[in-house]
Amino acid sequence: KTLNLLSFFVVPHALGACAEVDSMTEAVAGQNFLLGCISCKRREEVSAWTTVDWHFRALGEQEYRHIFHYEHPTADILHEDFSGRLEWHGTMHTDIQIGAIYLSNVTFNDTGTYLCTFHRTLHLPVRNEEVTVEKEVELTVVAVANRELTAVISEIMMFVLIVVLQLWLIMVLVYCYKKISADHERREAKKALRAQEEALLESKDNCDGVQLE
């Protein structure tokens, strides 16, 4: 979701670049929300004149309400429920490919289906071609933002990694302790063996001295 949100801001400034990413679908009551809508042209070299309309169907209703219309450079809010709360965040040009709008002060009444419609006139050499593209955004308004699954998985993986590293460190410490202990035992064994050899040699010398007398 974060990637999608960033794409809406990055793509409009990228020359000749367009990516049809999906809009986010969960808003938090009392905060602002970007309703994303992108329709890329298949042939960038063809110029076009485009207008964008947004409709809204509240949860449990059957009919759409026409809430917003953009025809460069004019943006019109068409429904009183959204008065002063919608702002154009799409392409600032007649050849529109990004039709995003910014919804401020989200309420639970904003839950529902948003329909974004591109009306595009392609200026072709022989004759103009009319193209209509529709995209839906199912918006859910919640009191508190839900933690994303990726964030939860990341935290779990981090915890697992920490546990594994701790176990590995303990194993390394145990291995080093055993190796040091074994080396110490070998040194002590060599010392004891050397002491025994010296004692035997000393005993032999004493015995040789007695025989000589």
Side-chain angles (χ1 to χ4, degrees), residues 3-4 28 69 73 76 86 88 100 123 131 134 148 166 208:
L3 177 62
N4 291 350
V28 180
H69 175 77
D76 297 311
L86 293 178
W88 178 251
H123 302 310
V131 177
E134 294 184 342
E148 294 185 10
Q166 288 179 339
D208 291 340

Side-chain angles (χ1 to χ4, degrees), residues 185-196:
E185 290 177 357
R186 281 196 295 270
R187 285 196 298 271
E188 292 298 323
K190 287 181 180 179
K191 287 181 181 179
L193 182 60
R194 192 179 301 115
Q196 290 178 0

